[in-house]
Amino acid sequence: MCLASQIHLKKYDVATASVISTQPTPDEALKRLVDGNEAFVADEPLPSDLSRERRLTLAEGQQPFATLVGCSDSRVGPEQLFGVGLGELFIVQAAGNNVDTAGMGSIEYSVAVLKVPLIVVLGHDKCGAVAAAADVVTKDTRFPGSIARMIEPIVPAAQRSVDEDKLVDTAVEKNVRRMVERLQKFSELMLIEPQGRGELKVVGAVYELATGRVRWL
Ligand SMILES: [Zn+2]
């Protein structure tokens, strides 16, 4: 089903008060991710449903239980590190877990239309985009093309971490916290209101490449 028809369908459903949510609560959704990551860390990843039956079911519509805002880094595969399968995570990815207009629209769609109960902003240690932002601050490094504009939103987190021993790791965490705060307090009403009603939670986390562990903030 295309995006436009889903939005249309939801409008119709709301008008007829016939929406029956089968989504978990925010805390239940978070527990699934916590449990999935613990299994991944223990080298016993949860089996994810990649069957033909699952594909056929999903072809009729999606109902992901969480929206993941993460980095493009190839070492941070959200579905793998949380042990989830097809149709379970709605993923917005860009280097440095940046969210541009398209990314924000994607997040809003996941909440307003798909009724996702949980948004996770996931940074990771040794993030190249954050390291680049740190270089801008400490060495006045210039980057070519759109890379410079991509890094710009991360620069404030790097600036506020410049006196720390572990500049990049500190900036990674601050960058996640800034995005969480933006989604919690400075976003559209379609994100603010469900949080006020307890139907949506926004949490931050940092993934550790070597251990596989997701550290929840
Ligand atoms: Zn990264």
Side-chain angles (χ1 to χ4, degrees):
M1 191 184 297
C2 75
L3 189 150
S5 62
Q6 280 192 33
I7 290 174
H8 178 77
L9 183 64
K10 282 292 171 185
K11 278 182 178 166
Y12 175 79
D13 282 348
V14 169
T16 56
S18 62
V19 168
I20 300 170
S21 176
T22 55
Q23 288 286 36
T25 66
D27 287 340
E28 287 167 349
L30 183 58
K31 186 172 186 313
R32 279 190 65 180
L33 296 181
V34 170
D35 291 349
N37 179 246
E38 283 177 359
F40 176 72
V41 170
D43 268 347
E44 294 170 352
L46 302 178
S48 51
D49 191 349
L50 303 173
S51 66
R52 180 173 180 273
E53 287 71 23
R54 177 65 174 154
R55 290 200 304 275
L56 289 171
T57 302
L58 287 171
E60 300 301 316
Q62 63 170 327
Q63 194 164 43
F65 71 87
T67 294
L68 192 292
V69 180
C71 182
S72 302
D73 195 302
S74 62
R75 300 167 293 182
V76 191
E79 275 126 340
Q80 289 119 34
L81 65 93
F82 288 117
V84 298
L86 286 173
E88 298 195 280
L89 287 186
F90 193 89
I91 300 174
V92 177
Q93 261 175 324
N97 44 277
N98 273 332
V99 176
D100 60 8
T101 304
M104 190 58 76
S106 303
I107 295 169
E108 290 169 358
Y109 170 76
S110 73
V111 172
V113 178
L114 302 177
K115 306 297 179 192
V116 163
L118 177 69
I119 301 172
V120 176
V121 181
L122 183 68
H124 67 97
D125 58 359
K126 301 184 175 69
C127 181
V130 176
D135 285 346
V136 169
V137 172
T138 59
K139 302 173 188 166
D140 198 23
T141 304
R142 309 295 165 92
F143 292 93
S146 297
I147 298 174
R149 284 190 294 282
M150 177 193 79
I151 291 165
E152 257 170 38
I154 312 172
V155 167
Q159 281 171 328
R160 291 199 311 195
S161 309
V162 77
D163 294 330
E164 304 287 339
D165 287 341
K166 296 181 175 177
L167 196 169
V168 173
D169 287 347
T170 306
V172 163
E173 189 172 319
K174 286 192 193 298
N175 189 45
V176 168
R177 289 187 189 279
R178 279 172 62 87
M179 182 51 62
V180 168
E181 190 177 34
R182 180 176 162 198
L183 294 170
Q184 285 177 337
K185 299 177 186 169
F186 305 111
S187 51
E188 298 290 331
L189 283 178
M190 69 180 92
L191 298 185
I192 301 287
E193 286 178 346
Q195 292 181 75
R197 292 194 298 267
E199 296 166 4
L200 172 67
K201 201 174 246 188
V202 182
V203 299
V206 175
Y207 176 67
E208 299 169 355
L209 295 176
T211 64
R213 187 175 299 283
V214 171
R215 181 166 56 86
W216 300 93
L217 302 179

